[in-house]
Amino acid sequence: MQSTTMKMSTPMKYIKTVLTFCTIFCASVAFAADIEIRLQDGSIWNGVTGQVITIQYEENGKKSTFTGELTRATKTYIMVGDEFLFIDKITSIEGEQTEPKDDADSEDISSGTEETGDSTDTTVDDKKLLAAEGDLPKGVFVLPLHQMVGTYFRPTEIRDLVAHIDENYGPGQIIVFEIHSGGGSVLKWSEIRDVVFEARERHRFIAWIDHAISGAAATGFLCDEVYYRTAGELGSITMYSGHIDNVSPDWQLFGWIKELESVLARTSHTPLVAGCMVKVDLNFSYDVDPETGELTYYAHEFGDVVLSKSGRNLTLGSQEALDSGLCDGIADTGEELAAHLDLEEWIEIDSYGRDIAEQWWATLAEFEQVGNELRAELGGNVSGDSPRERIGNQIKAGEELIRWSKKLGETGMMMGLSEENISGIKRMIEDLKHQRSNL
């Protein structure tokens, strides 16, 4: 069983890191940390973060090779490029020499096993860095992400807000996602992931959780920090195939777990929580050291505090998340959130994010009202004083659907206006025009 140990972090660390960084450096660079990893054969690999390495990896009898930059290392896992890799499955590392080492008590980043079969690790603190240019932010930009992922809740608005901030305010800004959603499309979540991770290189992303289930919860994991409202909840990230009663097969679920683990590995929160949010037969628990306050997490139900037993997907409430170190604080108002973010007061620098979200919601709500009517009219549910007039009204409905497909853009596919459907509508319009010409 995997386990992991970490200290609870505070938002103040973020500002301290930023101030130190901006004082010493004039460019955006990552701090290199000395790394020591104990491999399966007992040898020790020495290197630094930022180094390009090649990993030989074996999992479930399958051998793989990964080459990339070493960006993060703990006693149980490392990040190589975008890959999340457990150390106990690594067979070799190339990039620096390894040396034999027999001292089992030495402090190294390894997958050392206790008698219980559990391994523990102390995570390397994430350096949350702002770019050196410009002043430290005095406020935030808010983007409400509500309703279904892929329709109302899209990568488009995130991309547009980031572009607006880059053009008008420069790097180092704070972007707050107000999340209230029951989930949606995994495909669209993947696009959201790519947009956020690219922008995280120059901005600080905050998830403010009201209701975040499935893909909405996974979106919260993408952010640098996660805060809950008192009644907030996050979790239950199971994948379904077509219908909520049809859970995806295990091979897809385990792939989804690995993706979420790799996302969490880029944050200060343990990757071990991902499994029980996806599969009902996986567990999660933790211990708290009474003297140091350190949290040790387990992928089983035998820790002192059990958050997930077999039979249900884990959904965390705000206090559970705070007590377990799986969120950074609780805030019900902007002023309370500003205090967590080490801002003097709650200031929304401009309303661009809220404006584009509301504009899109209004557009989509309008189509939801007229879309089915237009389809019915195209299919013949029209009035008219003559066959020619009725066919003309059918054609008008089809042409209006085509206009809507252009207005909806990438979201049209999820609203029944895929390229294939649009091609079918165009063929119907041509057939109707032919019928009208013969009248």
Side-chain angles (χ1 to χ4, degrees), residues 7 21 108 115 125 143 152 160 164 171 189 206 227 239 298-300 313 343 348 371 382 388 420 430:
K7 292 183 180 179
F21 175 73
D108 59 37
E115 291 182 4
D125 283 344
L143 180 63
Y152 283 86
D160 289 350
H164 167 76
W189 175 85
I206 307 298
Y227 298 90
M239 294 176 67
Y298 306 102
H300 58 58
N313 294 117
L343 297 173
E348 295 188 27
V382 293
R388 185 177 185 86
E420 182 179 357
E430 291 304 313

Side-chain angles (χ1 to χ4, degrees), residues 2-64:
Q2 299 292 332
S3 66
T4 179
T5 304
M6 63 177 63
K7 292 183 180 179
M8 296 177 70
S9 61
T10 64
M12 183 62 73
K13 291 181 180 179
Y14 183 92
I15 296 299
K16 288 179 179 178
T17 301
V18 169
L19 292 174
T20 301
F21 175 73
C22 292
T23 301
I24 298 175
F25 293 97
C26 293
S28 179
V29 297
F31 291 103
D34 292 332
I35 301 297
E36 205 174 63
I37 299 176
R38 183 185 294 275
L39 300 179
Q40 291 178 352
D41 61 3
S43 62
I44 301 296
W45 178 86
N46 296 289
V48 295
T49 54
Q51 178 180 355
V52 176
I53 62 175
T54 297
I55 298 287
Q56 301 299 324
Y57 196 76
E58 185 170 353
E59 183 174 21
N60 298 326
K62 180 182 177 181
K63 296 181 179 180
S64 306

Side-chain angles (χ1 to χ4, degrees), residues 32-314:
D34 292 332
I35 301 297
E36 205 174 63
I37 299 176
R38 183 185 294 275
L39 300 179
Q40 291 178 352
D41 61 3
S43 62
I44 301 296
W45 178 86
N46 296 289
V48 295
T49 54
Q51 178 180 355
V52 176
I53 62 175
T54 297
I55 298 287
Q56 301 299 324
Y57 196 76
E58 185 170 353
E59 183 174 21
N60 298 326
K62 180 182 177 181
K63 296 181 179 180
S64 306
T65 301
F66 302 96
T67 299
E69 180 182 348
L70 175 61
T71 57
R72 181 173 171 82
T74 75
K75 284 188 176 180
T76 55
Y77 66 86
I78 63 174
M79 289 289 295
V80 176
D82 292 329
E83 293 293 336
F84 171 83
L85 305 171
F86 282 111
I87 288 175
D88 60 6
K89 295 180 174 62
I90 295 174
T91 57
S92 71
I93 305 177
E94 296 180 4
E96 290 279 347
Q97 279 192 320
T98 57
E99 57 187 47
K101 191 166 184 177
D102 297 325
D103 184 5
D105 296 327
S106 63
E107 293 184 3
D108 59 37
I109 296 183
S110 69
S111 56
T113 305
E114 301 173 351
E115 291 182 4
T116 61
D118 295 324
S119 57
T120 62
D121 79 290
T122 302
T123 62
V124 180
D125 283 344
D126 263 347
K127 303 286 187 182
K128 296 176 180 175
L129 304 179
L130 293 182
E133 300 90 338
D135 297 327
L136 290 176
K138 295 180 173 60
V140 303
F141 298 87
V142 177
L143 180 63
L145 296 175
H146 296 179
Q147 300 190 57
M148 185 176 179
V149 177
T151 56
Y152 283 86
F153 177 147
R154 307 188 301 169
T156 307
E157 282 65 47
I158 301 173
R159 191 182 299 115
D160 289 350
L161 177 59
V162 169
H164 167 76
I165 293 170
D166 287 343
E167 180 178 354
N168 294 283
Y169 300 96
Q173 305 303 324
I174 300 173
I175 300 173
V176 177
F177 289 164
E178 286 186 348
I179 300 179
H180 185 99
S181 167
S185 167
V186 173
L187 176 63
K188 288 301 176 183
W189 175 85
S190 297
E191 294 181 29
I192 291 171
R193 174 202 59 204
D194 294 343
V195 173
V196 172
F197 278 171
E198 189 277 331
R200 265 181 58 177
E201 297 177 4
R202 57 192 181 279
H203 300 299
R204 177 184 177 191
F205 281 81
I206 307 298
W208 195 6
I209 304 300
D210 182 17
H211 176 71
I213 303 299
S214 192
T219 301
F221 286 164
L222 299 174
C223 297
D224 297 290
E225 298 156 53
V226 179
Y227 298 90
Y228 283 61
R229 296 180 185 273
T230 299
E233 56 183 355
L234 177 152
S236 295
I237 316 180
T238 294
M239 294 176 67
Y240 300 95
S241 298
H243 191 274
I244 195 169
D245 293 328
N246 187 23
V247 177
S248 297
D250 279 355
W251 67 268
Q252 284 187 329
L253 294 179
F254 280 113
W256 185 219
I257 290 170
K258 185 174 179 63
E259 171 65 29
L260 294 173
E261 287 174 339
S262 70
V263 165
L264 284 163
R266 295 169 178 250
T267 72
S268 60
H269 303 129
T270 176
L272 292 182
V273 74
C276 65
M277 288 189 174
V278 174
K279 282 182 61 61
V280 296
D281 55 351
L282 299 180
N283 310 125
F284 182 74
S285 61
Y286 68 94
D287 297 335
V288 183
D289 188 297
E291 296 182 359
T292 66
E294 286 190 347
L295 300 168
T296 302
Y297 300 102
Y298 306 102
H300 58 58
E301 56 182 290
F302 305 114
D304 290 341
V305 182
V306 180
L307 288 181
S308 179
K309 293 184 177 181
S310 296
R312 70 180 183 93
N313 294 117
L314 175 62

